[in-house]
Amino acid sequence: MCGLTGFWQPPADARDVMLATAQRMADTLAHRGPDDHGEWADERAGIAFGHRRLSIVDLSPEGHQPMRSASGRYVIAFNGEIYNYPALRAELERDGAAPGWRGHSDTEVLLAAFEHWGLELTVRRCVGMFALVLWDTRERVLHLARDRMGEKPLYYGWMGAAFLFGSELKALQAHPAFRPVIDRDAVALYMRYACVPAPYSIFAGVSKLLPGTLLSFSYRELESRARARPKPYWTLEAAASDGARALCRGPVTDAVDQLDAVLREAVAGQMVADVPLGAFLSGGVDSSTVVALMQAQSGRPVRTFSIGFAEQDYDEAVYAKSVARHLGTDHTELYVSAEDALAVVPGLPSMYDEPFADSSQIPTFLVSRLAKQHVTVSLSGDGGDELFGGYNRHRWGRTLRRTLGWAPAPLRTLLAQGITRFSPAALDAAFARSSRVLPRSLRFKAAGDKLHKLAGLIGAESDELLYQRMVSLWPDAVALRDAVYPVPLGWIAYGTPAALRSLPERMMYLDSLGYLPDDILAKVDRAAMHVSLETRVPMLDHRVVEFAWRLPLELKLRGGRGKWLLREVLHRYVPRELIERPKMGFSIPLDGWLRGPLRDWAAALLDPGRLAREGFLDPEPITAKWREHSNGTRNWQHALWVVLMFEAWLEQQHGKGGA
C-alpha cells in the first residue's frame, strides 16, 4: 500500500526542479508510505512521478518506486496489491517473457506483464486493488488505471497547462499550479449523499478516476489539452447483467458450498504478506465471515481488533469478543471514551481532504489506530451489505412498494401527513411501550425519526426516486444557496441494468456503484492509511462480486433478513446464537454528543451569519434543524453532521489560504 502522485506539463523546468516538486507533492502522502520515498522525472517530456512506500511484499530495496521495466520502456508508480502476482509471474516465465527478476514484488511483475500483454489485458488478468500511473517512454503516452470496485483512490485534473494526479487531493494541492476553486455541483452532491461521488471532486477541474477504468492520452493530447475520456476494462453493469442471465438454480447446499469456496479463495489470497497481518472484527456477519475463513486457513491464531463504547446501544465489542473466543483468535479490544472519540474530530478535514460526513469515520479511525499498534495489514468485511442485501433499505423499499405501490398519490400523501402529525418523540414512546409484543424485525432505534423519513418516501413516483430519497441527507437543493438547478444526480444518473427487475437488486447495484466506493471504501482507505495501515477487502475480489450477482434474490433476502446465504456460510464456522441479532452498524452516539460535548463546536460552525457570509449554504433550514436537534424535538444528527463536516473542511481551507 502506498501513495503516488505526479504531473505532466510542457517541458520547461530543469530535472532537479521537477524532482523537487514531485517530492514536495509526495511528502504530503508520507502517512500512506512511511517506509521509503522515490521520485523520477524526464525533463524532455515534462513528466515526473513521486511515490511513498508502505512495504508489504518484498521489503527489500528491489521494491523501490517509481520503478522502471527491464527494457526501460515503462515507468510506474503503483498503489495497492496484486494478489495473484505469483501466478502471473509463473505464466510470464512459461511464456518466456520473464526478465531477469530483481526481486519478488508485484510491481515488477506488473511491468513485465505490461511488456508482454499490454496494459488492458494485464489489468483484466489482475486480481487485486490498485491505482497506478504508467509512462510509456516509447509512445510518450501516460496511462492511469483504477481497480474494479474502487478500493484505491486516484485523482487527476488540469491546472493551467499542468496535468496533475495523485492518491489524495493534498498531493495535487502541493503543486505550484494548483488553484482551489470549489465546485458548487460537487457541494450539492455532497449535501445529498454525505460524500462527493466520482467522477466529481470538491475542486473544479479535478476528477476521481472511476472504478474499473483506464485513462490514456498522448503527448500531442497534452499539448492540445484534449480531454481524454476514461475507458472501462470491467464494469459492474456487465457483472450484474451477466449474473442475472445465468442465475444459480441448483440446490441451496450447492450455492452455500460455492460461496464458501469463492470466499475462501479470496481470503487466502489476501492473507499473503511479508509483514504482520490481522483483521477488524465487529462481531457482525461480514467481519465474522472474513475472520472465520482466515482462521480456518491459518496455522496460528489470527490477530483481530475491535473497539467498544460505554454506551450500550453502540457497543459491539461484546459480540466481537464472543466470536473471537469461539474461533480462537488472538483478540485485542479497546473501549474508548467520548473524549477519545471527540479528539479525532479536529483532524477529520485533513484526513479526508474533501468534505466527508459518514460519522462512522470516527470509530473506523480508532480501530485502525488500534490495529496499527500490532499489525501492518488488516482485512475487513466491507462489501457484504452491498452484494448480499444487508442494508435495511433493501428490505424496507420492497415492503413499501408491495404495501403501498397500488395506492394513488393523494392517498399516499394523506398517509404521510398522518404519520407526521405525531412527533418523533411520541412515536418513540409508542414503540417503546409496544416493544414486548413487536417482532424483533420491528424493534429498532429512533423509530420516530425512521417513520418520519418513511413519510417522505411514500410519495416517491419511481424506484430510482425512492432510492434517492432513502440515501439523501438533504433532499435536492434545500440547504444550498444560489444552487444551479437541477442538482446533479451523482451515481443514480447511470441508471440500473434492465436485467435487474426487482427493487432490492437495483438498490444493491446503485449501492455498489456509488455508495460503496465513494463512501465506505473512501472512509476505510483514508482512516487506515492515515496511520499507515493497509486494509484489504476480500468480499470485493471481483470473482466474489461476479458470483454474488449470479445468486437469485431469494438467496439474499429471506425470512425478513438480508445476507441469508452469507449467513449460511458463516454458520458453518460460528453458532447462530452468536451472530443473529438486530443490525447495529458501526455507529457512534453522535446525537447526544451534538447536544453535549460537541455543542459549542457545532454552534460556532452553524452560526447563521457565518453561513451567509460564506455563500454556499442556506442558513434558514440548517438553523431550523439545529434548533430542533438542540432542544430534543428531532434527531437531525446525520443531516447536521453533513453541514458540520463541510464547514470544518472549509475552515481548514481558509487556514491554508485557499477556497
Side-chain angles (χ1 to χ4, degrees), residues 611-631:
L611 297 175
R613 287 191 301 273
E614 291 167 347
F616 290 101
L617 305 179
D618 183 355
E620 186 174 347
I622 294 169
T623 300
K625 280 183 167 55
W626 176 234
R627 185 184 306 113
E628 290 181 343
H629 188 90
S630 298
N631 63 29

Side-chain angles (χ1 to χ4, degrees), residues 1-2 32-35 53-60 63 65 78-83 85 104-107 129 269-277 372 375-379 529 532-536:
M1 191 71 67
C2 305
R32 298 188 73 94
D35 298 330
R53 185 183 181 199
L54 176 63
S55 302
I56 303 294
V57 175
D58 190 354
L59 309 186
S60 75
Q65 294 188 52
F78 168 64
N79 168 31
E81 302 288 349
I82 306 300
Y83 304 120
Y85 84 92
H104 65 273
S105 71
D106 51 357
T107 310
M129 56 176 184
Q270 298 193 22
M271 290 175 67
V272 177
D274 295 336
V275 292
L277 175 143
K372 179 59 180 178
V375 299
T376 309
V377 178
S378 184
L379 275 63
M529 291 309 297
S532 306
L533 177 74
E534 173 174 300
T535 50
R536 299 177 177 179

Side-chain angles (χ1 to χ4, degrees), residues 447-464:
D449 279 300
K450 286 182 170 64
L451 284 172
H452 271 246
K453 186 169 185 178
L454 173 64
L457 302 175
I458 288 173
E461 295 87 359
S462 67
D463 288 349
E464 287 71 24

